[in-house]
Amino acid sequence: MNEPQIDEPLKLDASGPSVVDLHARLAMVGYPVETLQLNVFGPATGDAVLLFQRGRGLDQTGIVDLETWASLLDACHHFGERLMCRRTPMMRGDDVAELQLLLGSLGFDAGWIDGVFGAGTETAVADFQRNAGLPVDGVADPTTIATLTRLRLSANAARPIAAVREQEALRNGSEGLVGRRVVVGDLDQAPSFAGAIGAALRKEGARVLLLHHPDGETHAK
């Protein structure tokens, strides 16, 4: 099922079903808005959006742009609440990131912990299933998730492979990012992934510009 999208940024005085959805999702991730008009983007909504953006390492504008909306969609997915698999468009969310973290902590390298269920994550799930004596299909179904969780709780696991690799990469290259202007292009296929990259770069001092356009040649100009 495709995730709901917004046609334009949501900001003060915006109204309609998208704002109702926004309020519901903010409440789901711990930023409830006290308002009697759930279909209107009021000052309290902007405050909640600011807090959410701060917590996710996004630009704090109080406006729900594509990057903020994608991050909010990711945050609404909690580990164990849905089956996770590789599909088109790619499944993404905080639950996928937690899956990658669990796999890595047990020695099954899913690659970067980016919250995107791609080929690396599918392979890591299949490898885990094979080692755990489960049916091997690369799908994180309830049985696979329960087994992962049980083993993680019972094992004093090392740090995830990808986390160690990512920290070392940032440590070795972060000084060169301070003050640099970096453009991150998104072909309207992976906005949350582009947003995650942008947030990580900003934390290292880079000035990030996100480009959302379906034409690759436009990004190259």
Side-chain angles (χ1 to χ4, degrees):
M1 180 182 296
N2 292 334
E3 299 278 20
Q5 300 299 322
I6 55 175
D7 296 326
E8 58 184 7
L10 301 177
K11 54 187 177 180
L12 191 63
D13 295 331
S15 61
S18 293
V19 178
V20 176
D21 192 13
L22 170 64
H23 283 137
R25 292 180 183 279
L26 285 170
M28 285 175 62
V29 298
Y31 301 93
V33 179
E34 294 186 7
T35 178
L36 297 178
Q37 294 181 297
L38 291 176
N39 66 330
V40 177
F41 192 120
T45 309
D47 291 341
V49 171
L50 277 171
L51 290 173
F52 173 77
Q53 290 172 327
R54 183 181 306 157
R56 301 286 288 195
L58 303 171
D59 285 341
Q60 297 171 43
T61 63
I63 297 173
V64 182
D65 55 11
L66 292 178
E67 182 181 4
T68 299
W69 183 253
S71 185
L72 182 57
L73 292 179
D74 286 354
C76 287
H77 293 300
H78 300 129
F79 188 69
E81 291 183 352
R82 61 174 179 167
L83 179 148
M84 289 173 280
C85 62
R86 187 182 179 193
R87 61 168 173 76
T88 302
M90 287 189 290
M91 183 173 285
R92 63 190 70 248
D94 283 14
D95 54 346
V96 177
E98 186 167 350
L99 171 66
Q100 293 167 331
L101 180 65
L102 275 172
L103 288 166
S105 70
L106 293 170
F108 300 92
D109 189 6
W112 303 116
I113 301 175
D114 57 10
V116 179
F117 199 113
T121 304
E122 181 181 48
T123 298
V125 170
D127 288 344
F128 170 77
Q129 291 170 327
R130 189 175 297 108
N131 279 270
L134 301 174
V136 179
D137 56 10
V139 175
D141 57 16
T143 300
T144 300
I145 291 172
T147 305
L148 262 171
T149 303
R150 184 174 66 252
L151 290 176
R152 177 66 180 89
L153 292 175
S154 64
N156 184 16
R159 294 177 61 202
I161 298 170
V164 174
R165 187 172 63 216
E166 185 171 2
Q167 183 177 16
E168 287 302 311
L170 289 174
R171 181 183 294 119
N172 293 332
S174 61
E175 290 184 359
L177 292 176
V178 176
R180 290 184 179 272
R181 188 168 184 267
V182 180
V183 178
V184 178
D186 168 39
L187 301 180
D188 283 347
Q189 296 176 347
S192 60
F193 185 35
I197 293 174
L201 290 171
R202 288 192 189 96
K203 288 181 180 179
E204 298 304 318
R207 297 166 54 200
V208 178
L209 173 64
L210 287 177
L211 294 180
H212 299 278
H213 199 283
D215 182 7
E217 293 184 0
T218 299
H219 291 286
K221 293 179 180 179

